[in-house]
Amino acid sequence: MKKLKFISAIAFGSLLMLATNVQAQKFPGLDKSPLDQALFPADNKIPVKSAKIVYSRPQLKGRTLSELAPAGKVWRTGANEATEITFYKDVMLGKTKIKSGTYSLYTIPEQENYTIIINKSVNVWGAYNYKAENDIARLVVPVTQAEESLEALSMVFTPAEKGMILNIGWDKMRIAIPFTE
């Protein structure tokens, strides 16, 4: 009887080791355009948020901004999946009311301005399947040039008198997108 228990224990242990080896995973290395997010308000001590943006951060790596975000073409405003913006309360972009919810943020870069596009399609890869008929709002904002160059695309919310501003910077390009509440 003891011999049977011993053999059973060895068999069970062997199966367990085999199952562990079968379940072993190969994990990918770090993403070249890591996922990031910005919240408004950014202060973690304020639990109620107005907005959140989730985007991938491409890097210049010796390339020009115009190569990565060509002028006159709809751009996903980041890398990989289209950038997604969530509003936890209704906001205005220009004269257009945007209801609370999650949307994709696209842009059309130009030298002197960017067209900002809030689109109802979500969970989409890039701008390959962009559909203008799903646009919720558009606003043209001016481009400014900074002295400091940013290697990776960066986004941050800042407070505004009646809402918030989404600031986007990459290389020396800067745009400010005003959302009012």
Side-chain angles (χ1 to χ4, degrees), residues 80-84 104 106 119 121-127 129-130:
N80 305 329
E81 297 88 355
T83 293
E84 289 189 353
S104 289
Y106 295 102
N119 185 281
S121 298
V122 292
N123 297 320
V124 292
W125 184 265
N129 296 312
Y130 166 77

Side-chain angles (χ1 to χ4, degrees), residues 43-104:
D43 188 344
N44 288 333
K45 294 177 184 174
I46 302 172
V48 178
K49 303 298 182 192
S50 297
K52 172 177 77 172
I53 191 156
V54 178
Y55 65 105
S56 289
R57 300 185 69 183
Q59 299 173 36
L60 292 172
K61 293 187 177 180
R63 302 170 291 183
T64 65
L65 184 55
S66 61
E67 287 176 75
L68 300 168
K73 294 186 177 183
V74 174
W75 177 48
R76 60 184 144 200
T77 320
N80 305 329
E81 297 88 355
T83 293
E84 289 189 353
I85 189 164
T86 300
F87 300 105
Y88 296 105
K89 54 178 123 179
D90 296 353
V91 297
M92 300 285 291
L93 178 63
K95 295 181 180 182
T96 306
K97 182 178 183 177
I98 302 171
K99 294 186 180 207
S100 63
T102 301
Y103 304 92
S104 289

Side-chain angles (χ1 to χ4, degrees), residues 118-138:
I118 303 296
N119 185 281
K120 67 182 178 181
S121 298
V122 292
N123 297 320
V124 292
W125 184 265
Y128 305 108
N129 296 312
Y130 166 77
K131 294 179 183 163
E133 62 266 20
N134 291 336
D135 290 355
I136 302 294
R138 283 182 172 228

Side-chain angles (χ1 to χ4, degrees), residues 65 111 142-150 168-175:
L65 184 55
Q111 188 167 355
V143 170
T144 59
Q145 295 294 316
E147 289 184 26
E148 175 191 10
S149 179
L150 296 171
I168 301 176
W170 198 13
D171 194 8
K172 294 185 177 186
M173 176 280 300
R174 304 292 188 271
I175 58 173

Side-chain angles (χ1 to χ4, degrees), residues 40 158-165 179-181:
F40 183 80
T158 54
E161 189 174 317
K162 295 182 180 180
M164 62 195 151
I165 297 171
F179 294 98
T180 55
E181 298 176 353

